[in-house]
Amino acid sequence: MSQTQPSAVVTGASTGIGAACAKRLVDEGWRVFAGVRKNEDGERLKAELGANLVPVTIDVTDTDSVRAAAAIVREALDGQTLKGLVNNAGIAVAGPMLELPIEEFQNQMDVNVTGIVRVTQAFGPLLGVDEGLTGGPGRIVMMSSVAGEMGAPFLGPYAASKHAVEGISKSLRRELMLYGIEVIVIGPGAVATPIWSKAEEIDTTPYENSPFYEAMTRIQGWMAKNGPDGFPPSKIADRVFRAFTDAKPRFRYAIVPKRLSNWSLPRMLPERMVNKIVANAVGLHRKNR
């Protein structure tokens, strides 16, 4: 490896946005440490992308797994700084907030929130906090969502996790000014990835007797339709590459299909009006007593 070849870590690289980020960076000459949970996924990525793709087992819910991965990357860097970290690993838990099993909510937060803290703490030294390393400071990309700025019925756990990602990113960005490490948030809307395209597989049977059931199935249908019709993961990967390489990247990028209706208008209109529009769309009308 050339001493000037930049390296990045991408979590959740098995499929979707993570795999697209790994490909884009490898295509640009970067070495990518691709965080995967299954060996076969790592082998597949390496076969597809070549020698500059280095699979690393990372379970973001397991501190020992994350620390072990950071040790592997540190050794491979051989005294150089890591140029990029993409905190992409995530899941989407759905259900009515009043009825959702608390264990499912905890799992959502452990993966999407505590997971990025584990990863950032483990790899932060390699981005330039460890001043014994050679090279300039790296950058962190946090994969948020349109849900990081908005809420949606029955996606409360996911929205909560992405709101947390936004807050963590703002705080971390200011703290890491001490080391010159940039923190950039990417907030996609619908993307054609398995996390949304498998919406039809969500088991709604536990809520069949719930007053929320009919509206929940409508939301499920919307997700199943709009996920595959969303932006390709490569569009998000393009923005991640620019976040790593632009001289002065923006702090947050919103990459949202049908931007006017799905992003701009809901942020400009009075929230009470937006609530009514959403309620009418999914059938959340006030119950008669």
Side-chain angles (χ1 to χ4, degrees):
M1 184 195 81
S2 166
Q3 290 298 309
T4 58
Q5 182 185 29
S7 296
V9 169
V10 180
T11 66
S14 299
T15 60
I17 292 173
C21 289
K23 182 180 188 307
R24 177 62 195 270
L25 291 168
V26 167
D27 288 348
E28 295 289 345
W30 288 50
R31 178 173 58 166
V32 175
F33 298 94
V36 297
R37 295 179 64 190
K38 299 177 181 177
N39 290 336
E40 54 265 36
D41 289 334
E43 293 169 1
R44 170 178 51 79
L45 285 169
K46 191 170 183 65
E48 292 173 1
L49 300 180
N52 279 337
L53 191 287
V54 182
V56 184
T57 301
I58 302 178
D59 178 352
V60 300
T61 66
D62 184 334
T63 299
D64 289 341
S65 167
V66 174
R67 288 176 177 171
I72 291 170
V73 173
R74 176 182 282 274
E75 183 175 1
L77 289 173
D78 193 25
Q80 300 292 309
T81 54
L82 183 69
K83 294 305 179 185
L85 169 63
V86 184
N87 273 311
N88 169 72
I91 61 173
V93 172
M97 289 301 299
L98 287 182
E99 301 177 7
L100 184 82
I102 198 65
E103 295 80 10
E104 293 186 26
F105 183 83
Q106 290 171 325
N107 185 45
Q108 174 75 91
M109 302 302 281
D110 193 23
V111 175
N112 288 21
V113 182
T114 310
I116 69 166
V117 176
R118 290 188 184 98
V119 170
T120 304
Q121 287 184 345
F123 288 96
L126 303 182
L127 291 161
V129 173
D130 182 347
E131 296 176 333
L133 299 177
T134 302
R139 294 179 178 178
I140 301 171
V141 166
M142 300 288 202
M143 197 60 63
S144 183
S145 166
V146 66
E149 295 282 345
M150 302 182 192
F154 316 118
L155 291 175
Y158 182 72
S161 73
K162 293 305 185 181
H163 273 69
V165 169
E166 302 275 348
I168 289 169
S169 299
K170 288 181 180 180
S171 298
L172 188 65
R173 179 181 301 131
R174 291 163 184 169
E175 293 174 10
L176 292 183
M177 290 175 70
L178 184 65
Y179 297 99
I181 298 171
E182 299 265 12
V183 179
I184 302 103
V185 173
I186 307 288
V191 182
T193 66
I195 197 171
W196 297 122
S197 60
K198 293 184 179 180
E200 290 177 328
E201 300 175 14
I202 295 173
D203 182 13
T204 58
T205 56
Y207 304 106
E208 283 181 334
N209 296 320
S210 168
F212 299 109
Y213 181 70
E214 184 177 346
M216 187 177 178
T217 56
R218 290 188 183 182
I219 288 284
Q220 184 183 28
W222 181 92
M223 291 167 55
K225 177 181 182 299
N226 286 274
D229 289 342
F231 282 142
S234 59
K235 187 174 182 68
I236 314 304
D238 291 344
R239 184 62 67 183
V240 170
F241 177 70
R242 287 184 55 187
F244 281 156
T245 56
D246 283 357
K248 292 184 178 180
R250 289 160 59 181
F251 294 139
R252 191 184 196 281
Y253 295 93
I255 311 171
V256 184
K258 301 178 182 177
R259 187 182 179 92
L260 179 63
S261 59
N262 291 334
W263 179 251
S264 301
L265 280 176
R267 287 160 54 83
M268 291 188 295
L269 294 173
E271 187 163 357
R272 192 174 296 276
M273 180 183 295
V274 176
N275 292 343
K276 186 174 181 179
I277 292 170
V278 172
N280 287 337
V282 299
L284 285 168
H285 304 294
R286 183 171 179 177
K287 295 176 68 65
N288 292 323
R289 291 185 176 272

